[in-house]
Amino acid sequence: MPSEPESEPAAAAPAARKRAPRRPGKPDAVLADAVAEARTGLLEVVSEEEIGNYVGAVADAERLVTHRFASRRPGYGGWFWYVTVARMPRSKKVTVSEVGLLPSNEALLAPEWVPWSDRLRPEDIAAEEELQAQERAAQEQAELEQNGDGQTGHDQTEPDQSSEQHVDATGAEENE
């Protein structure tokens, strides 16, 4: 008897191992020494008075370093200006990639955002309801004045029902 093909699934290929992102140990020497270039790039965005002392450099990746400067911008105590610099392989030319402002642990930060519906207080709702009631009253008053004699929503041309005339089957009119 011929052998039947096996219905077992083929052995799955070993899954590719995911590597943890590599954190560079020390910054690129050319980029770490580029403090002057970082300050120059920062001066294109902010004034000299807003830039404080140099704080240090951190390697973000291979040939990518971020320099930090203390912020002297009013209202931003405890914040740092950062300037990220990069260079191409085998090049000595430093390029400013990004400039920005980041908070430190001591920085004053805005409170966490709260949706409007969660920020409403009972007195806010009561004030809105009072305003709507006043608007409705003003609208009703305007309708009364527009109708003239104080009747609201009734047609002024309706005949008085006490003097209505009826026509009988012979066509003669009767007064009630």
Side-chain angles (χ1 to χ4, degrees):
M1 190 174 198
S3 65
E4 288 184 23
E6 294 182 18
S7 61
E8 292 180 22
R17 294 165 100 192
K18 291 184 180 179
R19 285 193 214 175
R22 195 180 100 183
R23 293 218 22 111
K26 64 180 193 175
D28 180 287
V30 173
L31 296 175
D33 292 336
V35 177
E37 288 88 344
R39 184 177 285 275
T40 303
L42 187 56
L43 285 171
E44 291 182 18
V45 179
V46 299
S47 67
E48 179 72 38
E49 295 83 36
E50 295 180 5
I51 304 171
N53 296 332
Y54 180 72
V55 176
V58 176
D60 295 322
E62 187 177 348
R63 290 183 301 279
L64 187 69
V65 172
T66 299
H67 293 275
R68 291 184 301 153
F69 300 88
S71 171
R72 290 193 300 197
R73 178 175 267 192
Y76 287 86
W79 288 64
F80 293 105
W81 291 108
Y82 71 89
V83 181
T84 303
V85 292
R87 71 179 180 96
M88 296 296 294
R90 288 177 262 156
S91 172
K92 300 293 182 195
K93 184 176 184 214
V94 175
T95 305
V96 174
S97 299
E98 187 175 19
V99 175
L101 195 58
L102 290 173
S104 69
N105 292 337
E106 293 84 34
L108 179 63
L109 299 174
E112 187 174 325
W113 182 79
V114 177
W116 174 250
S117 60
D118 294 345
R119 287 185 276 162
L120 283 177
R121 298 179 310 233
E123 55 270 16
D124 295 335
I125 295 170
E128 179 67 26
E129 289 174 349
E130 176 65 28
L131 182 63
Q132 290 175 353
Q134 289 175 357
E135 289 174 357
R136 281 194 303 272
Q139 185 177 9
E140 289 173 1
Q141 182 63 33
E143 288 176 2
L144 284 174
E145 291 172 1
Q146 190 176 29
N147 289 337
D149 62 1
Q151 295 180 1
T152 59
H154 296 293
D155 189 7
Q156 298 289 329
T157 61
E158 288 183 17
D160 187 14
Q161 293 184 357
S162 63
S163 65
E164 229 176 87
Q165 294 181 348
H166 292 282
V167 178
D168 68 6
T170 62
E173 292 182 2
E174 292 179 12
N175 284 334
E176 284 189 25

